[in-house]
Amino acid sequence: MQTGVIGRRHELEAGMAGQRGDLYQRFLEEMVGYIRLADELGYDAYCSPEHHLQVEGFEITNHPGILAAYVGLHARRLKAGILGYVLPTHNPVRVAEEIATLDHMLQGRLIVGFTRGYHARWVDAYAAVRGIGATNVTHAKAKNEQDAINREIFEESVQIVKKAWENSMFSHKGKYWEYPPEGGSAGHPGYAEFGAGQDENGVVREIGIAPRPYTSPHPKLYGAFAYSMRTVDMWAREGGKQIVFANDLDFCDALWNRYTETARKAGRDVKREDVGAWGGFLILTDSKEEAQELEAEHRWFWDKWFIPHGQQFPNVLIGTPDDISRQIEQAHERLGFDECFLMFGQGHLEPERQSAELVRFAEEVAPRFSSKDPDGTLV
């Protein structure tokens, strides 16, 4: 899973790196290299987040759908992962239809997550409903109005997306969205002859996306990067698998237990391995000195960009293959997950260094926990 850094440290420090076409072309070239390598090695999916307006060059992952299609274009069996659409900045029906279309283009090689949006500059600019603002851990802990509005529209949007996926025709009337709008929409003779959703008076009362998803009932759904138990409760009800980059295993254990209990109350019997996936930043090396240097480089990236946005530094899978295997074993003993997400900051390290880590993890760590299925995917 990459975080979309467009340049090396000295290029970022030079300023406005995100607007340089030469760096973006290099970013795409490097991305293709990682996709093809991950496809060959047996990784399950190559994932990207969604961010916009990043003129500084730290997160150049502008369009989740286009990036997913780009992954599919350059891979044989590798899935594209969208982690995720920032729903408070989208019309949810359009998101549902775009994902369904991508699911067909990739013939099921797609996983999808939804997030709430922590970056004020672009969330404010792209807000789908007036009054939406970004939120982060500080807002969530304060339970302030900004977090409450963001959460409300996020949860309503998730429900709309699923409703669009799971029903041929539907209507919705909520606090923020109404489909069709109040009073209905103008009809058409073709709707009555070839379609559905129009009443006897020629007024549209229901809508439906086209196409419906390729995967039934929809692509695998993830609740990306959960830190709030209220968000955990929502995903437990809605069926989204959590992605957790936390090194506090007591917190993780509490999250797993909370999800399981909330799901049970909602009538869902969820196995522990289906609650969440666990992982972190990958720093694989036999040298303690290099490990310190690489962690310092990752921390520079985080300190300069994510921490001021209210983000927490993630778990780090650091050390030799034996060291990293022990970290995974300890977490697995507590949590029982069956998926591991690896994060790397594409761009701020040289491709050869990043690729070497991916190769060594696939060849020296992953076989201790998995084998390859007939398609060549590590499972």
Side-chain angles (χ1 to χ4, degrees):
M1 174 181 176
Q2 55 98 353
T3 53
V5 186
I6 195 172
R8 313 293 185 252
R9 180 169 175 175
H10 68 277
E11 291 161 334
L12 296 172
E13 289 175 333
M16 304 295 279
Q19 294 187 331
R20 284 178 51 183
D22 62 322
L23 293 183
Y24 193 72
Q25 284 296 314
R26 189 177 72 188
F27 168 82
L28 292 176
E29 182 180 351
E30 291 180 4
M31 184 175 173
V32 170
Y34 293 129
I35 292 167
R36 289 174 174 166
L37 178 63
D39 196 29
E40 177 184 341
L41 291 170
Y43 287 93
D44 183 62
Y46 184 94
C47 308
S48 300
E50 178 185 15
H51 291 289
H52 302 273
L53 311 182
Q54 311 292 58
V55 297
E56 300 80 11
F58 282 98
E59 297 170 293
I60 308 298
T61 50
N62 290 357
H63 194 298
I66 290 176
L67 283 176
Y70 198 65
V71 173
L73 179 66
H74 295 286
R76 176 185 61 84
R77 45 133 221 106
L78 190 73
K79 297 184 183 72
I82 301 172
L83 299 174
Y85 282 91
V86 180
L87 281 184
T89 68
H90 292 280
N91 182 310
V93 172
R94 188 185 183 285
V95 167
E97 191 170 61
E98 181 172 298
I99 292 171
T101 303
L102 281 167
D103 195 30
H104 277 272
M105 290 178 174
L106 299 175
Q107 295 187 326
R109 291 187 295 124
L110 182 67
I111 62 174
V112 179
F114 298 132
T115 61
R116 296 178 58 197
Y118 65 83
H119 194 305
R121 179 176 58 189
W122 83 260
V123 172
D124 290 352
Y126 279 58
V129 175
R130 184 176 298 176
I132 292 174
T135 190
N136 56 36
V137 174
T138 302
H139 291 291
K141 288 182 177 179
K143 299 182 181 180
N144 59 26
E145 183 179 8
Q146 183 165 323
D147 181 74
I149 293 173
N150 182 292
R151 180 179 297 280
E152 285 178 348
I153 194 166
F154 174 75
E155 294 190 3
E156 185 177 339
S157 295
V158 170
Q159 293 165 3
I160 293 167
V161 170
K162 291 182 62 183
K163 187 182 290 188
W165 283 339
E166 294 170 358
N167 298 277
S168 59
M169 303 296 293
F170 71 97
S171 63
H172 176 85
K173 183 176 178 60
K175 182 174 181 178
Y176 296 97
W177 297 102
E178 185 172 0
Y179 305 98
E182 186 174 358
S185 295
H188 183 280
Y191 300 166
E193 185 174 358
F194 305 111
Q198 182 173 283
D199 68 14
E200 65 276 7
N201 299 314
V203 178
V204 174
R205 299 297 183 184
E206 291 186 313
I207 61 171
I209 63 169
R212 298 279 298 283
Y214 178 88
T215 305
S216 180
H218 52 72
K220 191 171 184 178
L221 188 58
Y222 289 84
F225 323 125
Y227 293 102
S228 164
M229 289 299 179
R230 286 176 292 168
T231 302
V232 172
D233 287 340
M234 189 276 292
W235 282 121
R237 294 190 298 269
E238 298 295 341
K241 190 172 187 177
Q242 303 291 271
I243 300 172
V244 182
F245 289 145
N247 57 10
D248 184 341
L249 293 182
D250 289 337
F251 165 79
C252 293
D253 195 36
L255 185 157
W256 252 251
N257 292 335
R258 176 72 168 258
Y259 186 107
T260 303
E261 180 61 19
T262 302
R264 186 190 61 78
K265 292 178 180 177
R268 299 181 59 242
D269 183 17
V270 179
K271 297 178 180 178
R272 207 159 168 82
E273 60 266 28
D274 294 326
V275 168
W278 183 85
F281 246 120
L282 178 64
I283 302 178
L284 196 160
T285 175
D286 295 321
S287 166
K288 291 183 179 180
E289 292 75 16
E290 186 184 35
Q292 292 173 350
E293 292 173 2
L294 290 171
E295 184 171 7
E297 185 66 25
H298 286 304
R299 286 189 178 274
W300 176 89
F301 169 41
W302 220 263
D303 289 343
K304 288 290 186 180
W305 194 248
F306 293 108
I307 299 299
H309 283 308
Q311 297 294 94
Q312 300 173 357
F313 191 72
N315 179 46
V316 179
L317 295 172
I318 185 170
T320 67
D322 287 342
D323 295 331
I324 291 172
S325 296
R326 279 193 293 271
Q327 288 179 266
I328 295 173
E329 287 170 358
Q330 290 169 0
H332 183 266
E333 287 176 3
R334 292 285 299 274
L335 308 176
F337 54 85
D338 63 0
E339 290 184 84
C340 187
F341 276 77
L342 306 176
M343 184 185 295
F344 69 98
Q346 178 188 340
H348 70 104
L349 296 180
E350 293 294 337
E352 294 78 10
R353 187 65 193 77
Q354 301 268 30
S355 296
E357 288 186 326
L358 293 177
V359 170
R360 292 196 68 188
F361 186 91
E363 294 181 350
E364 300 179 44
V365 179
R368 307 182 191 197
F369 305 97
S370 60
S371 59
K372 289 187 177 181
D373 68 11
D375 198 36
T377 303
L378 288 162
V379 293

